[in-house]
Amino acid sequence: AGYSQAVLQAFITLYERGYVYRGKRMVNWCPVSQTGLSDEEVIMKPSKGSLYKMRYEVVEKPGTFLEISTTRPETIPGDTGVAVHPQDERYKDLIGLHVWRPFPREKIVIVGDTAVEKDFGTGVLKVTPAHDRTDFDIGKRHQLPVLDVMNPDGTMNDKAGPLAGLERFKARNIAAKLLEELGALVKVEPYENTVGYSERADVPIEPRLSEQWFIHYPKIE
């Protein structure tokens, strides 16, 4: 009881001094424990997967496509924009136009953002603000909708269209098949990267928006 009281008192004191605040932010989420994790509770492990190269058709220019690479096609239903570097000569004239999101089919805007690396991949990034830290920041800068398509337990929710109800890795395979059926899948390549695992449940974490308390560390000058 004494320990709990001390925690509460410290929390209240920090709040009264303006050091803690509540907000919806991107956190490391464990789908098994169903809790947010600190960075120290995420174990980075080498992982072998696939890189899916796909193409999105430009709405205003039928027959013109933007090629995009992703390791997570299951998040396509959560795409609310596509980003290119504003100084990329290949794409800068397309900024402000739209592309067709493959499924559920909907037009989403093309934005210019310096977070996109012109020389990495195709230089085109699909923006899924609810499921990636960088995408969340891009979405905030361009007022893109935030569309969460995954349940806390790692299954796809009813906003995920044809993937609704599927476990996230099963959804990845089905998403690839859907892209192929739509003629939107260009190729699939083996890909090795580093994936964060939950220290508590030893499963890949999900970046997830969650109402959490955060602390402002005061500057020391």
Side-chain angles (χ1 to χ4, degrees), residues 5 15-16 25 65 73 94-95 118 129 149 173 200 207 210:
Q5 183 59 41
Y15 181 79
E16 290 174 342
R25 299 289 187 275
F65 296 87
L94 299 176
I95 294 172
K118 291 189 289 185
V149 297
N173 295 330
R200 301 187 188 188
S210 176

Side-chain angles (χ1 to χ4, degrees), residues 130-146:
H131 297 281
D132 182 271
R133 290 175 185 265
T134 299
D135 293 7
F136 178 71
D137 292 338
I138 293 174
K140 283 181 65 177
R141 287 192 288 271
H142 299 277
Q143 294 82 50
L144 298 179
V146 178

Side-chain angles (χ1 to χ4, degrees), residues 87-221:
Q87 296 174 356
D88 194 326
E89 295 293 336
R90 296 170 294 177
Y91 310 121
K92 66 179 186 179
D93 290 343
L94 299 176
I95 294 172
L97 302 184
H98 301 79
V99 294
W100 288 112
R101 185 180 65 202
F103 51 86
R105 184 174 169 84
E106 184 176 326
K107 65 179 182 179
I108 55 178
V109 70
I110 303 169
V111 301
D113 197 282
T114 55
V116 180
E117 298 180 38
K118 291 189 289 185
D119 301 324
F120 182 77
T122 62
V124 185
L125 181 72
K126 76 186 199 71
V127 184
T128 316
H131 297 281
D132 182 271
R133 290 175 185 265
T134 299
D135 293 7
F136 178 71
D137 292 338
I138 293 174
K140 283 181 65 177
R141 287 192 288 271
H142 299 277
Q143 294 82 50
L144 298 179
V146 178
L147 186 59
D148 187 351
V149 297
M150 194 177 294
N151 295 312
D153 65 356
T155 58
M156 310 304 292
N157 64 30
D158 57 3
K159 295 178 183 176
L163 305 180
L166 296 173
E167 185 273 333
R168 55 181 172 157
F169 296 117
K170 176 68 173 176
R172 182 172 299 177
N173 295 330
I174 299 300
K177 291 179 181 178
L178 288 172
L179 287 170
E180 188 172 15
E181 291 171 3
L182 293 168
L185 185 64
V186 177
K187 63 179 176 179
V188 182
E189 300 174 331
Y191 186 73
E192 292 188 20
N193 63 345
T194 303
V195 174
Y197 275 69
S198 165
E199 185 179 51
R200 301 187 188 188
D202 196 32
V203 297
I205 63 163
E206 285 290 335
R208 182 173 178 82
L209 283 173
S210 176
E211 286 282 356
Q212 300 284 343
W213 288 96
F214 297 86
I215 185 166
H216 283 297
Y217 274 86
K219 286 185 179 180
I220 300 175
E221 297 178 349

